[in-house]
Amino acid sequence: TDFHGAITANYGTIVHMDLKSKRLTPLIYKGCAPKYSTTGHIIYIRDNSLKAREFDIPTLSVGTEEVTLLSGIQMNQYWGNAQYSISQEGSLVFIRGNNTAKGQFAWIDRSGEIERIEQFKPNVYTQSDLNSTGEKIATTIAGERMDILILDTVKGSTTQITTKDSNWMPIWSPDDTTIVFEKMLANDSGHQIVQINSDGTGSEKKLFSNDTF
């Protein structure tokens, strides 16, 4: 979701990026936190409500009819993250609420029991992603700038993998070896999509930059 020129993420633009050609295709205006459903729909958030439209991946065509699936999903309209997910089978999980900023990580089981992850103190966590083993969390913490940290829930350790500019939207690679994220350069001089080793070693690899338009 691109919402840097918007007032909040509610007014963001959901786009598709082809990683080979680097081409950006706008899909939906006024929305954030998009996910693809195998039912052939794109689902997204606006004003704490989950919306859906038909979406054909081969043609990148989006249906004109917007359907509201449910309301009252917890979101942060300034960071563009929302507390919901959908499985490959179509099962939806979400946290009820309004807008939030500072919070703490926790596990929740299918019966609704909540267990706080006490190793990591409450903070302004924004976008987060759990790795394939369920042992590590890639998350963004907002401070003077935004940095990406890896939280190891087994060891209780924290590893900061970014050290400059503002960084957010971390996503694990399928094999857990790398993290892909969005970077805003100092003084808002440009935006990039970057890849880095998940253990913080090595240098960043630029996958896309808005100066390629």
Side-chain angles (χ1 to χ4, degrees):
T1 306
D2 179 5
F3 57 92
H4 297 104
I7 300 172
T8 71
N10 286 321
Y11 298 91
T13 300
I14 296 171
V15 301
H16 173 275
M17 187 181 78
D18 188 310
L19 289 177
K20 291 183 178 179
S21 66
K22 314 301 183 186
R23 179 181 179 183
L24 295 178
T25 303
L27 300 177
I28 296 171
Y29 298 98
K30 295 185 178 180
C32 65
K35 298 182 185 297
Y36 175 71
S37 169
T38 54
T39 58
H41 295 80
I42 186 170
I43 57 178
Y44 53 98
I45 295 288
R46 185 171 67 248
D47 292 326
N48 303 100
S49 295
L50 185 65
K51 311 286 186 178
R53 293 193 190 190
E54 292 183 349
F55 180 48
D56 182 65
I57 289 182
T59 63
L60 300 182
S61 60
V62 180
T64 57
E65 182 182 3
E66 179 182 82
V67 177
T68 299
L69 300 178
L70 57 90
S71 299
I73 293 180
Q74 188 179 98
M75 71 171 291
N76 188 314
Q77 63 178 333
Y78 296 101
W79 301 113
N81 59 314
Q83 304 304 318
Y84 82 99
S85 189
I86 188 168
S87 71
Q88 292 290 327
E89 294 75 26
S91 297
L92 178 71
V93 293
F94 64 95
I95 299 176
R96 289 194 178 277
N98 296 311
N99 297 325
T100 184
K102 194 171 186 178
Q104 186 175 15
F105 285 103
W107 299 112
I108 182 168
D109 62 24
R110 292 180 181 274
S111 68
E113 290 294 321
I114 298 174
E115 178 187 356
R116 294 185 183 275
I117 304 177
E118 300 292 350
Q119 301 104 306
F120 311 114
K121 64 181 181 180
N123 212 323
V124 185
Y125 300 108
T126 60
Q127 303 89 0
S128 302
D129 195 37
L130 189 66
N131 77 341
S132 64
T133 65
E135 297 178 344
K136 295 182 179 181
I137 305 166
T139 187
T140 303
I141 291 184
E144 292 185 13
R145 65 166 192 269
M146 291 181 285
D147 276 310
I148 295 174
L149 285 75
I150 305 299
L151 311 182
D152 190 320
T153 63
V154 176
K155 298 179 179 179
S157 62
T158 300
T159 302
Q160 183 173 323
I161 62 173
T162 59
T163 57
K164 62 180 180 180
D165 305 313
S166 289
N167 313 275
W168 61 86
M169 296 282 188
I171 300 175
W172 288 93
S173 62
D175 63 1
D176 295 335
T177 60
T178 61
I179 300 288
V180 173
F181 60 95
E182 184 175 353
K183 172 186 289 290
M184 182 176 70
L185 302 179
N187 302 318
D188 199 14
S189 58
H191 298 270
Q192 300 175 346
I193 294 178
V194 177
Q195 178 178 286
I196 191 172
N197 292 333
S198 59
D199 61 4
T201 62
S203 57
E204 297 177 354
K205 178 182 178 181
K206 182 173 67 174
L207 302 179
F208 174 82
S209 174
N210 63 356
D211 60 15
T212 61
F213 283 111

